[in-house]
Amino acid sequence: MPLRDIVFLPDPVLRRKAHKVTVFDAEFQQLVDDMIETMRHAPGVGLAAPQVGVSQRLIVVEYPVNDDDENSPEKLYVLANPEITHASEEAVNGVEACLSVPGMAGEVMRHTEITVRGQNRRGQTTRIKASGWLARIFQHEIDHLDGVVFVDRASRIWKPTAEEAENIKD
Ligand code: NI
């Protein structure tokens, strides 16, 4: 499984509205596998297909089941055509970074709880409820499918110190 190259701002693919996934064929499975490997290698907690130059509505996310426990197992999510079907009124500020915007951090308001509907890698409809950081990651990755990058939503943006950067989830 080859790693894919991550693209950076101002690459125009990051600003496009990505196409719906309609075919779940071998080529698509390869893209899914490559994105998982690329996310893990980066390392990052999420990756959207436009970030590897593919304008398709596909995201991968991998995050601890219990993020209070450093030994928690991680759960992998592969979601095509994700849509937020419910979002809490409650929103909270948090610090984000992005593999496509290296060396920058920003404070972004996100809903604390969301429900996301989409399709798994076989094309079956699936629904995910997420809260806290997982909800934030999904909102960040789904934004990429609409050409939105976290810096667009950030109330402030800065260059984190190396120490600070270690604690920011891309
Ligand atoms: Ni990102």
Side-chain angles (χ1 to χ4, degrees):
M1 293 191 292
L3 290 173
R4 305 256 178 146
D5 289 333
I6 293 175
V7 301
F8 307 109
L9 279 185
D11 193 306
V13 72
L14 292 169
R15 292 309 196 177
R16 247 173 251 149
K17 196 170 161 69
H19 299 284
K20 193 174 177 194
V21 177
T22 54
V23 182
F24 296 81
D25 59 1
E27 192 182 325
F28 175 78
Q29 301 305 321
Q30 186 67 58
L31 172 63
V32 170
D33 288 338
D34 291 353
M35 281 177 56
I36 293 167
E37 191 179 349
T38 304
M39 169 179 67
R40 288 175 174 164
H41 182 262
V45 291
L47 193 68
Q51 293 185 271
V52 293
V54 178
S55 194
Q56 286 201 43
R57 304 188 78 80
L58 170 66
I59 63 171
V60 296
V61 169
E62 193 165 48
Y63 196 67
V65 175
N66 176 1
D67 62 6
D68 292 332
D69 174 5
E70 62 179 38
N71 297 313
S72 170
E74 302 207 319
K75 184 163 172 159
L76 175 67
Y77 303 88
V78 174
L79 212 52
N81 306 318
E83 273 179 65
I84 296 174
T85 56
H86 177 263
S88 62
E89 254 173 59
E90 190 191 355
V92 66
N93 259 316
V95 178
E96 297 188 12
C98 179
L99 297 171
S100 294
V101 194
M104 299 301 286
E107 193 164 65
V108 185
M109 278 290 256
R110 299 287 189 186
H111 301 287
T112 54
E113 285 179 36
I114 57 168
T115 304
V116 184
R117 189 181 58 207
Q119 287 162 282
N120 67 16
R121 64 185 296 164
R122 291 177 297 282
Q124 295 158 333
T125 299
T126 176
R127 196 197 306 233
I128 296 161
K129 280 192 170 187
S131 60
W133 272 100
L134 184 62
R136 174 174 297 278
I137 296 163
F138 274 110
Q139 289 167 83
H140 176 119
E141 301 309 333
I142 292 169
D143 267 353
H144 275 300
L145 307 181
D146 293 319
V148 175
V149 180
F150 82 99
V151 292
D152 307 338
R153 294 198 189 275
S155 52
R156 62 191 185 99
I157 302 166
W158 67 95
K159 283 187 197 297
T161 62
E163 194 186 2
E164 198 184 355
E166 266 191 26
N167 295 310
I168 301 173
K169 304 167 180 83
D170 300 272

